[in-house]
Amino acid sequence: MPKLSRRTDGFTDSVIRRMTRISLKYGAVNLSQGFPDFEPPKEILDRLAEVTKEDFHQYSITWGAQNFREALSRKQSRLMKREIDPNSEIVVTCGSTEAMMAAMMTVCDPGDKVIVFSPFYENYGADAILSGAEPIYVPLVPPTFKFDADILENAFKQRPKALILCNPSNPCGKVFTLEELQIIADFAEKYDTFVITDEVYEHIVYKPNEHIYFASLPNMWERTISCSSLSKTYSITGWRLGYIIAPAHIIETAKKVHDFLTVGAAAPLQEAAVTGLEFGDEYYSDLREKYTKKRDMFLNGLDLIGLSHTTPQGAYYVLIDISEFGYKSDLEFCEKLAEKVGVGAVPGSSFFREPVNNLIRLHFAKKEDTLSEALNRLESIKKKM
Ligand code: GLN
């Protein structure tokens, strides 16, 4: 048999998605892969039912249905505080997973370097490898997850092509402050580097923290490739609707990459999602409130059980310290947790470049009943693990 490509040797399958399969195997409450178990907004579902009877069953324009791009441009122009041109400054992708991959392939040639903060969402490592780029990791140091500006500047001195910024951050829940973003912006300008953002949790931010779009910082529009998706904001992770927003000269190249990778996102789903893009501000403040309640309830439950954990400023993940259980491998811990306690978690080591083995990640994007059930099961963690 001929050998398979060497390109994929450097990474495994996704540990996050593997943990979903392990949770299913043991009938565990799955708090590993971050997705909701509650319904998307009814208005979107009603529109989906109508759309099936309308004429949206063939390819949409490769870079996104006109309606969708126009609605997205209205929403994001309002939030990002600049007029975004729906025709030349947007590409609609199959989730932000494709958006990030296409963004990397748009800016990186094999051998280029990219800065990635650690801990990081595991896709970025594979994205870098698949696009031929080499990651330079800069630590976000627990428990505050702040970065050291000198270490960051040393990374920039290696002349990377891009920095990847996940804000609000998965898995650590960090929301970057204006001061922190400005430090990154100053370096990006000084060392002439692109910034690729992953802002899928833009609407899941806990007060008093506020989300700041990197592209809205002075002079940053020109060098920022903003990636996001509708998955988390409208609870439709399975619809795979994401997008890239960037200046026209970057989008022109991103359109080519996207066209040959996937042709386009699902046409009927884009059409139905327009309804969501047209929601007023109240939808987003309600979403924020809903997640704040879930966060408070879940963290309170963890406190009662006596588990030490992070308090996210944004996104819906908590890192729990498992040092007291004395396991060498957090992977083994998570498999046992699913089997014995009945709760699915992601081993922290899959997010860190550094040798961190004492953290696991749980998410709380679930109905209150599901979270209560998970907390009930976790009550026995100290006995069973
Ligand atoms: N972002 C989610 C997580 O970190 C999962 C996304 C995915 O699996 N595509 O769990």
Side-chain angles (χ1 to χ4, degrees), residues 12 96 131 140 184 245-246 342:
T12 65
S96 64
S131 62
L140 294 173
I184 298 170
I245 293 178

Side-chain angles (χ1 to χ4, degrees), residues 16-17 32-34 97 121 170 201 232 240 317 351 361:
I16 296 178
R17 297 182 273 283
S32 61
Q33 189 182 14
T97 298
Y121 174 49
N170 176 8
Y201 305 100
K232 319 288 180 183
R240 315 308 303 127
Y317 303 101
F351 303 103
R361 191 195 77 174

Side-chain angles (χ1 to χ4, degrees), residues 38 56 72 109 126 137 164 167 228 246 275 291 293 298 310 352:
F38 43 84
F56 293 109
L72 180 65
D109 284 316
Y137 294 97
I164 297 180
N167 183 33
S228 193
T275 304
Y291 272 108
K293 264 203 201 137
F298 194 59
T310 54
F352 282 86

Side-chain angles (χ1 to χ4, degrees), residues 340-375:
K340 297 196 161 146
V341 179
V343 174
V346 184
S349 57
S350 59
F351 303 103
F352 282 86
R353 176 62 175 171
E354 302 75 33
V356 171
N357 275 300
N358 67 317
L359 297 172
I360 60 166
R361 191 195 77 174
L362 294 179
H363 83 91
F364 51 82
K366 292 283 183 254
K367 293 178 197 151
E368 288 194 7
D369 284 354
T370 312
L371 293 176
S372 295
E373 177 59 28
L375 288 167

Side-chain angles (χ1 to χ4, degrees), residues 118-133:
S118 166
F120 58 94
Y121 174 49
E122 59 175 7
N123 278 36
Y124 310 153
D127 288 348
I129 293 170
L130 287 172
S131 62

Side-chain angles (χ1 to χ4, degrees), residues 230-286:
L230 279 69
S231 291
K232 319 288 180 183
T233 303
Y234 306 103
S235 309
I236 47 174
T237 62
W239 289 29
R240 315 308 303 127
L241 290 177
Y243 53 88
I244 304 176
I245 293 178
H249 68 278
I250 298 177
I251 287 296
E252 221 173 281
T253 300
K255 278 177 177 171
K256 285 194 292 183
V257 175
H258 159 76
D259 193 359
F260 288 109
L261 270 180
T262 62
V263 179
L269 300 182
Q270 290 185 62
E271 204 50 44
V274 167
T275 304
L277 293 171
E278 284 174 342
F279 286 158
D281 291 341
E282 205 182 83
Y283 174 78
Y284 305 100
S285 49
D286 286 354

